Amino acid sequence: MAVWALGINHHTAPLDVRGRFAFALDQVPDALRRFRAALARQPEATLLSTCNRTELYCASDEPLIEPTARWLADTAGVAPELLLQHAYVLRDDAAARHAFRVASGLDSMVLGEAQILGQLKDAVRVADEVGALGTTLHQLFQRSFAVAKQVRSSTAIGAHSISMAAAAVRLASQLFEDLRDIRVLFVGAGEMIELTATHFAARQPRAMAVANRTLERGEKLAARFGAEAMRLSDLPARLHEFDAVISCTASTLPLIGLGMVESALRRRRHRPMFMVDLAVPRDIEAEVRELDDVYLYTVDDLASVVQAGKDSRQAAVAQAEAIIDAGVQSFMHWLRQRDPNAGVVALIRDLQTQADAWRAAEIARAKRLLARGESVDAALEALARGLTQKMLHGALAELHSGDEVARQHTAEVVSRLFLRGRPDAAAPRRASDDGRPPRP
């Protein structure tokens, strides 16, 4: 089986590009069905989409990388060339290593953060529910979960990490003298908003509110923090009431536009507003950043804040990478064990590599002879003799070593390999009593 991963993330693509390839969790089942239907061989597939990445993990009897890229590009409505400018394509052990690093939080914007593991488990669960998770990807991800657990339990990779939610609070503290004097609005009611609300609530702001498309879900989250619940439709009329706005929804279009914010600022008499857009695609129009009295941050803007303390955890990173390397080796061993021809394919590849090396060495030697003035015939003779010696050396060495049983077995193999056209090749003579092979 071939395993491959194709994706974009915060390392390779800016926010607006990532937004074009984003999938809400409830969109993933249909996307997986359409992806597999678009490929003739219907590979195993898992689709992971978060604010920082969109990745397809696949397995099939052959790598279908070009069709995978074409489908993802078509789905986003862009040319495959644009996707590939920002994408990474990983195969086999490299794909496994990437999956293990993602699960362990080593590829996250917040080094060592645990949220990505839950998101990956959700993606695997959805793939399993739609019948897209076969044996190979099941093994890959179960091993990635085990590796992530080992990394978290045996290293300090998550120690002192600053989450995106904590970074938002830290930035707000730089703008406002005392967070107890501000009113905070949370737009959305998902996991990221819940985390951010938890961090803000610890600073005891004057008031908090939760605006959500589904009022019941917003009320449930608001009740946890003693906050007010409101509808998204109330945003235009009430946005001016809030000093800080943190938004993270699954909307495909911005919810808070330039005109809405300009109107709010006029009613606030241009008192500053702190805004954090954690959504991909954006919840807040990019043009809002240009307003003088607005301090707007996106997930990418928070990167420098969340990287604080990363250098001090390099020892933990090294330990985590060692655990991941062992996990990759174990997975690749399992993968090879499933393919009875894998060893033969690897041997053929190694033989071809060795033969190419011999050929290159003898050609170089022949060229040196010609440069020294040797005749063409002499150079060709030396080339042929050198290649012959290299090709026969291993077989002749084996025929001169080992016990009689081993020599007899070697003699039979050598006869099949090198004397196949001779009528007596099928019945090689026994080695002589002195241990040397019989003369031809």
Side-chain angles (χ1 to χ4, degrees):
M1 293 288 285
V3 178
W4 69 96
L6 184 147
I8 59 172
N9 64 17
H10 58 289
H11 297 302
T12 67
L15 172 62
D16 288 331
V17 172
R18 299 201 306 275
R20 303 184 74 166
F21 294 92
F23 296 84
L25 188 61
D26 59 1
Q27 296 175 322
V28 171
D30 182 60
L32 281 174
R33 294 187 188 99
R34 287 188 287 106
F35 168 63
R36 299 183 75 222
L39 275 67
R41 295 180 180 272
Q42 294 213 343
E44 299 179 27
T46 298
L47 175 59
L48 172 65
S49 185
T50 74
C51 60
N52 285 330
R53 69 185 67 248
T54 294
E55 298 175 338
L56 271 165
Y57 294 87
C58 307
S60 182
D61 54 356
E62 65 177 85
L64 306 172
I65 293 170
E66 183 179 343
T68 301
R70 186 166 58 249
W71 178 85
L72 187 56
D74 289 346
T75 300
V78 303
E81 293 76 18
L82 174 62
L83 168 62
L84 294 175
Q85 285 176 15
H86 299 282
Y88 40 88
V89 179
L90 306 167
R91 291 183 55 180
D92 300 329
D93 58 338
R97 177 170 285 101
H98 182 73
F100 292 176
R101 295 186 84 254
V102 168
S104 302
L106 266 67
D107 195 60
S108 297
M109 185 179 289
V110 182
L111 181 64
E113 59 96 2
Q115 186 181 10
I116 185 62
L117 181 58
Q119 293 168 327
L120 184 57
K121 287 182 176 180
D122 286 341
V124 172
R125 173 182 53 78
V126 171
D128 192 25
E129 289 173 353
V130 300
L133 189 74
T135 302
T136 300
L137 288 189
H138 174 79
Q139 274 289 324
L140 173 68
F141 289 118
Q142 291 306 312
R143 290 167 183 263
S144 75
F145 301 155
V147 164
K149 181 178 180 180
Q150 186 179 357
V151 166
R152 192 157 299 280
S153 62
S154 60
T155 76
I157 193 67
H160 311 299
S161 65
I162 301 175
S163 69
M164 302 291 282
V169 174
R170 177 176 292 190
L171 288 171
S173 299
Q174 295 174 4
L175 178 62
F176 301 106
E177 184 175 345
D178 191 342
L179 295 188
R180 289 176 296 182
D181 295 332
I182 69 170
R183 298 176 181 272
V184 186
L185 172 64
F186 302 99
V187 182
E191 183 179 2
M192 182 59 75
I193 288 294
E194 183 177 350
L195 289 171
T196 310
T198 300
H199 282 269
F200 269 97
R203 305 296 288 271
Q204 299 179 334
R206 178 186 298 181
M208 296 196 301
V210 177
N212 193 55
R213 193 178 306 279
T214 305
L215 184 59
E216 181 181 357
R217 186 172 179 183
E219 288 174 336
K220 184 177 180 181
L221 180 61
R224 285 191 52 194
F225 301 104
E228 176 191 0
M230 54 185 279
R231 298 181 185 277
L232 281 181
S233 56
D234 294 333
L235 275 178
R238 298 195 56 188
L239 186 63
H240 69 283
E241 300 175 16
F242 301 97
D243 306 291
V245 179
I246 294 87
S247 186
C248 186
T249 75
S251 175
T252 57
L253 296 172
L255 300 173
I256 302 175
L258 178 63
M260 186 190 301
V261 179
E262 286 177 327
S263 176
L265 287 173
R266 285 193 296 270
R267 298 182 69 177
R268 289 174 60 81
R269 298 183 180 179
H270 294 279
R271 284 182 291 115
M273 291 184 71
F274 171 78
M275 308 185 82
V276 178
D277 188 352
L278 297 174
V280 179
R282 295 175 186 265
D283 278 345
I284 303 173
E285 285 187 346
E287 292 78 7
V288 170
R289 184 192 295 271
E290 305 303 321
L291 297 175
D292 290 337
D293 300 304
V294 172
Y295 297 82
L296 172 61
Y297 299 89
T298 67
V299 287
D300 288 356
D301 296 324
L302 298 182
S304 59
V305 180
V306 301
Q307 292 303 321
K310 181 177 179 179
D311 292 343
S312 64
R313 285 176 284 158
Q314 288 310 303
V317 171
Q319 292 174 332
E321 294 286 11
I323 294 171
I324 288 169
D325 285 343
V328 171
Q329 292 176 19
S330 176
F331 172 72
M332 293 306 296
H333 175 73
W334 174 86
L335 197 61
R336 286 191 293 268
Q337 291 289 95
R338 293 188 68 227
D339 184 357
N341 296 319
V344 174
V345 172
L347 178 60
I348 291 172
R349 184 176 61 246
D350 291 345
L351 283 172
Q352 290 173 334
T353 300
Q354 181 65 78
D356 287 342
W358 287 339
R359 177 181 54 80
E362 292 306 320
I363 288 176
R365 180 167 173 256
K367 288 181 177 179
R368 289 196 297 272
L369 291 175
L370 291 172
R372 290 203 300 264
E374 297 286 347
S375 68
V376 173
D377 287 344
L380 289 174
E381 177 65 27
L383 185 148
R385 185 169 58 252
L387 279 177
T388 301
Q389 290 173 345
K390 283 180 168 61
M391 292 174 62
L392 294 179
H393 173 75
L396 295 176
E398 287 297 316
L399 287 169
H400 282 88
S401 63
D403 57 28
E404 184 176 351
V405 174
R407 289 196 301 271
Q408 181 62 25
H409 175 71
T410 301
E412 293 171 358
V413 173
V414 168
S415 295
R416 288 198 302 272
L417 292 177
F418 295 101
L419 305 176
R420 181 171 295 187
R422 290 180 48 165
D424 59 343
R429 285 165 286 180
R430 295 180 62 83
S432 59
D433 292 340
D434 62 2
R436 290 176 295 180
R439 294 184 180 276

